Amino acid sequence: MEITDWSKNKDYMSIVTAGSPQALKRSRIVCQNMLLERLNLIPIEEWMFLVNVMHDRVAETAVQICEAQMKEAGYGPPPCAYSFIVFGSAGRLEATLWSDQDNGLIIEGEPDESKKRYFEQFGNMLSDVLAEVGYEKCEGKVMCSEPMWRKTLREWEEQLESWRSQLEWEPIRYLIISSDMRHVAGSSELSMRWQEFFHSGFARNERLSTAVLRNTVRHKATLNLLGQVLTERFGDHAGGFDIKYGVYIPLVNIVRHLSLQKGIRETSTLKRLEALEELSIYKHTEGVREAFITALRMRVNTPYTNHDGLLSSSDYIAESKLKDKHLFSELRESLLLVRRIHRALQRQLRSAERRQS
């Protein structure tokens, strides 16, 4: 079956027609189980696309359910247009079957009390609906229930401008989170205008690029001086390897930084790599792509638990799996590449800081 046909099958369509959080959760679980049956039978990038089609359809339906619940609760229809947006792995079309919430709202027009009241309630209700459907609330509170991630377009522009003018660790971290923003439901025009403003701030802004690079080069040590893989020494995951923060996130960060430097507006890591390759400005794109595909495959194959039909995972490769020589060799090669690029970026950062001092 073609990938486009697969995403239109009855399991996906049952998500669209769900009329309550309970029905939506059931449809999500059915679709999730269908996807698990296909894991490792089709290329991992195609499988990830299908997983994220599911997440998008669940989110779109959750938005519709939430609008209906708001009417039933006496709040009426939305007072203006709005856009439901996602960040993090969802924004990059890389969410796993156990990813949590990373989302926000863009609201049309000028801020006023009626909009504030409606969308405060709407944001809280939508986050609760998504939690009921199986998306855990974000520990970092990057959710539409939080005022920081729920604003009118003008308020968003003021906040983005504030973040990119401060050049300190925390505001730059928020800006990096924002760079993965992707439209899912509601007004696509609001999302497009948001993205136009976001990317305009990076044009010919060397100090901002350096600040992003400063955040990018911080990551968990994964190899010792002899090039040996560092596994967890203590705790529940002793002997295992953190594939998310050891390989996947460093590669995401590297590609994101290069893309922001070159004005690339794609949010998917693979699409960003394609764009970099088309520009012929980065000679390691094929190696990074191979390492990234390896990281995706390893991440979705980490051990998971099933609770009430919903999955959770620590993102650690178990010690027993690391005894597989082929897997271990792939992991080490990916880590060596990450280390080489990381060191090159550290040299780039030192050079940029000397120029700007």
Side-chain angles (χ1 to χ4, degrees):
M1 182 180 288
E2 293 295 326
I3 188 169
T4 51
D5 294 334
W6 190 263
S7 64
K8 294 176 183 176
N9 77 0
K10 62 181 177 64
D11 294 324
Y12 280 88
M13 298 312 294
S14 71
I15 290 172
V16 177
T17 57
S20 68
Q22 298 78 16
L24 185 55
K25 177 181 177 181
R26 289 193 296 270
S27 295
R28 177 197 164 163
I29 291 171
V30 169
C31 192
Q32 166 189 285
N33 292 340
M34 174 271 292
L35 287 163
L36 282 172
E37 292 174 0
R38 300 291 295 172
L39 179 59
N40 300 322
L41 298 180
I42 59 176
I44 189 60
E45 56 268 42
E46 293 182 14
W47 188 82
M48 289 298 295
F49 172 77
L50 292 172
V51 168
N52 283 271
V53 168
M54 178 193 74
H55 289 315
D56 280 3
R57 291 192 175 171
V58 170
E60 290 167 7
T61 305
V63 167
Q64 293 169 8
I65 290 171
C66 193
E67 280 196 19
Q69 289 184 339
M70 289 289 286
K71 290 178 184 177
E72 290 173 8
Y75 291 94
C80 61
Y82 67 92
S83 171
F84 177 73
I85 54 178
V86 290
F87 304 99
S89 59
R92 296 188 301 272
L93 288 166
E94 295 157 13
T96 63
L97 291 174
W98 46 80
S99 290
D100 61 3
Q101 293 187 44
D102 282 287
N103 52 55
L105 291 173
I106 309 169
I107 302 161
E108 182 183 49
E110 295 296 311
D112 63 45
E113 281 304 310
S114 63
K115 288 180 190 176
K116 182 179 179 181
R117 284 194 301 271
Y118 181 92
F119 285 106
E120 180 179 7
Q121 185 65 27
F122 182 85
N124 285 319
M125 188 178 290
L126 180 53
S127 185
D128 288 342
V129 168
L130 289 169
E132 190 172 350
V133 172
Y135 299 92
E136 288 190 7
K137 293 190 176 184
C138 173
E139 289 185 4
K141 298 188 181 301
V142 182
M143 296 179 292
C144 59
S145 56
E146 301 298 318
M148 182 183 288
W149 303 98
R150 182 189 70 241
K151 295 181 179 294
T152 64
L153 181 60
R154 184 165 68 82
E155 289 172 324
W156 263 114
E157 290 174 348
E158 291 171 355
Q159 179 163 273
L160 291 170
E161 179 59 34
S162 174
W163 287 343
R164 67 195 185 197
S165 64
Q166 294 181 56
L167 304 182
E168 296 168 356
W169 173 262
E170 194 71 2
I172 293 299
R173 185 175 75 86
Y174 293 141
L175 202 63
I176 289 171
I177 291 170
S178 299
S179 69
D180 292 333
M181 187 279 263
R182 186 170 62 85
H183 173 81
V184 171
S187 169
S188 58
E189 182 185 351
L190 283 171
S191 295
M192 183 179 67
R193 289 168 62 190
W194 187 103
Q195 287 175 324
E196 287 289 338
F197 185 85
F198 177 88
H199 286 283
S200 69
F202 278 85
R204 297 176 297 281
N205 192 334
E206 187 177 354
R207 287 191 176 277
L208 180 57
S209 182
T210 300
V212 171
L213 179 56
R214 194 175 296 119
N215 281 45
T216 299
V217 297
R218 294 193 184 185
H219 80 271
K220 186 175 184 177
T222 52
L223 295 169
N224 64 16
L225 293 175
L226 300 176
Q228 297 169 320
V229 177
L230 292 174
T231 55
E232 293 296 311
R233 296 181 61 192
F234 308 106
D236 294 339
H237 308 294
F241 183 84
D242 183 352
I243 190 67
K244 179 179 179 180
Y245 288 102
V247 184
Y248 169 71
I249 290 295
L251 289 170
V252 165
N253 290 344
I254 288 164
V255 175
R256 182 199 290 116
H257 166 68
L258 294 169
S259 300
L260 288 172
Q261 267 193 321
K262 301 303 176 183
I264 293 167
R265 299 193 180 189
E266 298 285 355
T267 59
S268 154
T269 303
L270 290 173
K271 289 290 186 183
R272 285 169 169 168
L273 281 168
E274 285 178 19
L276 287 167
E277 192 165 23
E278 287 175 7
L279 292 173
S280 301
I281 53 172
Y282 188 64
K283 62 183 179 180
H284 301 297
T285 50
E286 186 54 37
V288 172
R289 186 183 189 280
E290 289 178 10
F292 185 72
I293 292 294
T294 296
L296 284 181
R297 188 178 67 251
M298 289 184 179
R299 188 179 179 207
V300 300
N301 279 286
T302 53
Y304 60 82
T305 58
N306 187 319
H307 178 70
D308 192 24
L310 299 170
L311 310 182
S312 61
S313 172
S314 65
D315 288 310
Y316 275 81
I317 301 175
E319 182 178 14
S320 58
K321 289 286 186 182
L322 292 175
K323 294 177 181 178
D324 181 315
K325 291 183 179 179
H326 178 69
L327 182 147
F328 190 81
S329 176
E330 281 190 310
L331 174 62
R332 186 171 178 276
E333 287 302 310
S334 297
L335 292 173
L336 287 168
L337 175 66
V338 168
R339 185 166 74 174
R340 286 197 300 273
I341 298 173
H342 182 256
R343 287 175 172 173
L345 290 177
Q346 285 180 315
R347 291 192 295 271
Q348 182 182 325
L349 175 61
R350 288 194 293 270
S351 175
E353 288 179 331
R354 282 195 298 269
R355 287 195 308 272
Q356 295 168 23
S357 62

